[in-house]
Amino acid sequence: MQDPVKTPRKRRPRGSLTREQVVEAALTLADEEGLEALTMPMLARRLNCGVMTTYGYVNGKEDLLDAIAQRGLRDLHLPHPLPDDVGAILHAWGRALRLNLIEHPSLPMIFLSRAVIGPGFLHGLEALLGPLATAGMPPAQGVHAVYAVLTYATGFVAWEIPRTHRQQQETYAASWRREVAKLPPAEVPFLAGILDELPEVAGKKQFELGLAALTAGLAITPGK
């Protein structure tokens, strides 16, 4: 018997891609399969083109990571209009950022491992510093407040995603119950009494607790 002849895969016509399409495909790949799956060969397969073709649109992996980070942030939606109180503005920023990072789970790991600076970040900062200044927080103080919230939200979502998003929340809760049950109740009397509360440490309730404390502190004007 003759081996079946494989039908060659048809390549995308030359010149039919844009940088935006390449970045969009890379972001989707990273979000769906993790940053470790984002290689130039994997991206080329997803785009149905040759590996060298992708290099016509991005200057390698580093450029691609920066590009998908800024593309992902375009999906961040702040409320309009923003509140007129410093603490409320920062709180709204933190909430919107958490939702954006959950929507694009590749972003927290990029932000934690790379110094991404570009037009998207600069415009985002301007969109926050103006309202903060109007509410009484000078830009020199505002930029640090914005980044305090950014680093908190980024770190929290990096903690949250593997616990309550890449697995069912009930699976995470069951892990707590299982581990606590292995110990004699006398050794962990407080934990044994709050089994329903323990899984909440990787969810919205925990995030809001930290965000409220952080933004309340940031809103205090130095010297007052």
Side-chain angles (χ1 to χ4, degrees):
M1 293 180 62
Q2 293 183 337
D3 292 334
V5 177
K6 292 184 178 180
T7 303
R9 186 180 63 172
K10 289 185 177 181
R11 289 283 178 88
R12 180 186 291 271
R14 185 183 299 274
S16 63
L17 276 175
T18 64
R19 177 178 168 90
E20 180 72 17
Q21 289 173 317
V22 172
V23 172
E24 192 76 35
L27 177 62
T28 300
L29 174 60
D31 284 343
E32 291 176 354
E33 302 187 34
L35 274 182
E36 63 279 0
L38 181 58
T39 65
M40 300 308 274
M42 284 288 289
L43 178 59
R45 280 197 285 274
R46 180 159 289 217
L47 290 166
N48 197 27
C49 68
V51 173
M52 293 309 298
T53 299
T54 63
Y55 284 101
Y57 301 95
V58 293
N59 298 320
K61 183 72 172 289
E62 305 301 304
D63 179 36
L64 185 60
L65 289 173
D66 288 351
I68 67 174
Q70 296 202 65
R71 164 59 190 86
L73 280 179
R74 286 195 346 227
D75 292 331
L76 190 154
H77 299 292
L78 288 168
H80 292 287
L82 278 167
D84 55 9
D85 172 77
V86 167
I89 293 170
L90 294 173
H91 205 109
W93 154 236
R95 283 178 169 172
L97 180 58
R98 173 178 172 266
L99 293 176
N100 178 245
L101 296 178
I102 290 173
E103 180 182 358
H104 295 298
S106 60
L107 298 191
M109 298 315 299
I110 295 176
F111 296 155
L112 290 173
S113 61
R114 296 183 56 72
V116 181
I117 301 173
F121 276 85
L122 300 180
H123 289 137
L125 274 173
E126 280 292 322
L128 288 164
L129 292 178
L132 285 172
T134 300
M137 177 173 277
Q141 183 184 350
V143 69
H144 292 290
V146 168
Y147 265 81
V149 174
L150 186 151
T151 52
Y152 167 69
T154 302
F156 186 91
V157 175
W159 157 273
E160 179 182 6
I161 285 174
R163 288 164 175 81
T164 55
H165 294 279
R166 289 189 183 142
Q167 63 178 353
Q168 295 292 324
Q169 284 189 304
E170 180 53 36
T171 302
Y172 185 56
S175 299
W176 277 106
R177 291 193 296 268
R178 183 174 60 252
E179 293 304 314
V180 171
K182 291 178 181 178
L183 300 174
E187 289 186 16
V188 286
F190 294 111
L191 292 176
I194 57 169
L195 285 176
D196 290 339
E197 203 63 33
L198 295 173
E200 298 291 335
V201 300
K204 181 180 178 180
K205 183 176 181 179
Q206 180 71 30
F207 177 80
E208 289 286 340
L209 174 69
L211 183 64
L214 176 62
T215 55
L218 292 170
I220 298 174
T221 303
K224 286 191 176 181

